[in-house]
């Protein structure tokens, strides 16, 4: 389990929002199950999408995933994690409030581009947006991501400044 992972209820069941992150950084609005933030974050800017929904962070490197989640928690941003594309699709099924996915491109079984395509097909009624992150900024990967409709392409190691800029640039 990760420092900023949020458990989503199974569809049709009642549950309270259970956050494992420090409650001084985020608390749950038990009625709407949406995280509230006690302080302003530099990530907020004009990106209202992350004010109303948690981010889904997808990466197959557990240590890297933990670092991103910890940095986001420090900024007061609610995030849910998945360790691969298949888990990410299952998380999207359980958590209909997710609107933004930040995913690694190169992962085993289902890469980030295949995740985008599968999610857009299965959740066509949702306004899902994607940011991809890659440690191998191969031109072909970037072109595939752009063709799949990615909002932004960032490089590893992920700079929180670069992620902040990408989040602020999201359409409202």
């Amino acid at each position: 389990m990760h420092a900023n992972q949020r458990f989503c209820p199974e569809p049709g069941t009642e549950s309270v929002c259970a956050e494992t992150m420090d409650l001084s950084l985020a608390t749950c609005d038990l009625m709407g199950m949406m995280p509230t933030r006690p302080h302003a974050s530099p990530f907020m800017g004009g990106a209202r999408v992350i004010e109303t929904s948690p981010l889904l962070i997808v990466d197959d490197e557990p240590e890297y995933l933990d670092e991103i989640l910890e940095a986001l928690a420090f900024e007061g941003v609610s995030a849910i994690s998945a360790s691969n594309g298949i888990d990410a699709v299952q998380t999207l099924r359980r958590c209909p409030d997710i609107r933004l996915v930040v995913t690694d491109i190169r992962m085993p079984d289902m890469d980030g581009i295949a995740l985008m395509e599968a999610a857009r097909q299965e959740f066509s009624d949702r306004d899902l947006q994607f940011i991809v992150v890659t440690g191998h900024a191969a031109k072909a990967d970037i072109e595939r991501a752009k063709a799949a409709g990615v909002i932004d392409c960032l490089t590893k190691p992920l700079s929180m400044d670069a992620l902040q800029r990408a989040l602020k640039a999201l359409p409202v």
Side-chain angles (χ1 to χ4, degrees):
M1 183 172 347
H2 302 286
N4 195 25
Q5 189 169 14
R6 191 176 113 181
F7 298 98
C8 293
E10 291 294 326
T13 64
E14 291 189 33
S15 173
V16 295
C17 176
E19 301 239 12
T20 58
M21 63 191 290
D22 181 358
L23 290 178
S24 67
L25 291 176
T27 58
C28 287
D29 170 359
L30 296 178
M31 296 300 289
M33 295 183 57
M34 294 304 298
T36 57
R37 291 168 193 84
H39 70 281
S41 167
F43 282 88
M44 293 303 113
R48 293 187 44 180
V49 66
I50 63 172
E51 291 176 6
T52 60
S53 67
L55 303 179
L56 175 56
I57 311 295
V58 187
D59 200 291
D60 61 325
E61 297 177 40
E63 297 83 15
Y64 185 73
L65 192 57
D66 283 340
E67 288 178 25
I68 293 172
L69 292 172
E70 187 175 317
L72 290 169
F74 182 76
E75 295 297 338
V77 175
S78 179
I80 300 169
S81 65
S83 60
N84 59 57
I86 295 166
D87 288 345
V89 171
Q90 292 171 349
T91 300
L92 289 168
R93 285 182 188 131
R94 288 190 315 273
C95 303
D97 57 331
I98 294 173
R99 294 179 45 212
L100 178 64
V101 179
V102 179
T103 183
D104 188 12
I105 290 181
R106 293 190 179 184
M107 296 182 291
D109 300 324
M110 179 186 279
D111 70 12
I113 309 301
L115 164 60
M116 289 173 50
E117 292 166 348
R120 287 219 170 101
Q121 181 176 2
E122 184 170 339
F123 310 105
S124 60
D125 60 330
R126 287 167 62 178
D127 182 26
L128 286 173
Q129 299 177 52
F130 292 85
I131 294 173
V132 295
V133 181
T134 182
H136 312 281
K139 187 175 181 178
D141 286 339
I142 301 300
E143 288 173 1
R144 280 182 58 220
K146 288 181 180 179
V150 71
I151 298 293
D152 207 344
C153 297
L154 305 176
T155 59
K156 283 186 179 179
L158 180 61
S159 153
M160 284 296 118
D161 288 340
L163 181 57
Q164 180 180 349
R165 284 189 301 275
L167 294 175
K168 283 184 176 182
L170 288 173
V172 182

